[in-house]
Amino acid sequence: MEQKYGKVLHLGIVVADMKKAVSIFETEMGIGPWDIEEHAPFFYDKKVNDSIGMDFAAAMFRKDGYEIEVIEPIGPSIYMDFLKEHGPGVHHVMLESKEHYTETLAMAKRVSGREPALSVRFPDDTPIVFYADMLKEIGLLLEVGNTDLQQ
């Protein structure tokens, strides 16, 4: 079988205290600098699963073609649910792929029988990003972006 997915491009990590986590990454691990957002205004008016909007604090480290995102939930969200259920840890991963987002979502549904754990759309229903849910099968929420938006 041809390899469809490759290297890790992005790790999404959920924590209770983003500033503390970033400080540890910087001072103890030498990982930085970070772009920090205290809130996520981009998501305020987006369709998020069955509701509108979500808010979280996030810090993003980008280097050599990969990203580490540290997320601190502020209000109700998939991130808050994860933190309450599992505690802090790796929440989602994006892998390099040439697959169209619709193919990845279809594959995940074949594997798990479930819809994405997260679906974010513009108000006009244009897809933005998804977390393909294969947690029970391979221990992974796979972040999938709308590749049409990247062209």
Side-chain angles (χ1 to χ4, degrees):
M1 172 182 246
E2 175 188 353
Q3 180 175 335
K4 297 180 181 180
Y5 299 88
K7 68 182 179 180
V8 173
L9 299 177
H10 173 95
L11 287 177
I13 303 168
V14 173
V15 298
D17 185 333
M18 182 228 359
K19 288 181 181 178
K20 180 179 179 182
V22 167
S23 176
I24 293 168
F25 273 110
E26 288 181 330
T27 61
E28 301 297 331
M29 301 173 76
I31 296 175
W34 296 80
D35 295 323
I36 296 176
E37 288 191 359
E38 298 289 335
H39 293 276
F42 175 81
F43 292 94
Y44 289 176
D45 67 341
K46 304 306 179 284
K47 294 181 177 182
V48 180
N49 291 347
D50 296 327
S51 62
I52 302 295
M54 69 176 163
D55 196 12
F56 54 91
M60 187 73 77
F61 168 78
R62 294 178 177 94
K63 186 174 182 181
D64 298 330
Y66 73 94
E67 302 172 334
I68 301 172
E69 179 182 32
V70 175
I71 301 165
E72 176 184 336
I74 294 174
S77 67
I78 189 172
Y79 309 121
M80 183 67 78
D81 296 343
F82 180 88
L83 190 60
K84 286 178 181 176
E85 186 174 340
H86 304 285
V90 174
H91 178 266
H92 60 272
V93 175
M94 180 184 281
L95 301 175
E96 182 177 61
S97 176
K98 293 182 181 172
E99 296 290 292
H100 191 268
Y101 78 95
T102 56
E103 293 165 338
T104 298
L105 292 175
M107 177 271 299
K109 186 153 187 186
R110 274 194 317 275
V111 167
S112 72
R114 293 183 299 281
E115 295 296 327
L118 177 73
S119 170
V120 179
R121 298 173 178 274
F122 285 107
D124 70 0
D125 267 341
T126 300
I128 301 170
V129 67
F130 307 91
Y131 294 158
D133 183 359
M134 296 180 287
L135 272 174
K136 293 178 184 174
E137 294 74 22
I138 62 171
L140 187 64
L141 285 179
L142 181 62
E143 182 172 343
V144 183
N146 180 347
T147 50
D148 296 337
L149 296 177
Q150 299 167 3
Q151 297 175 5

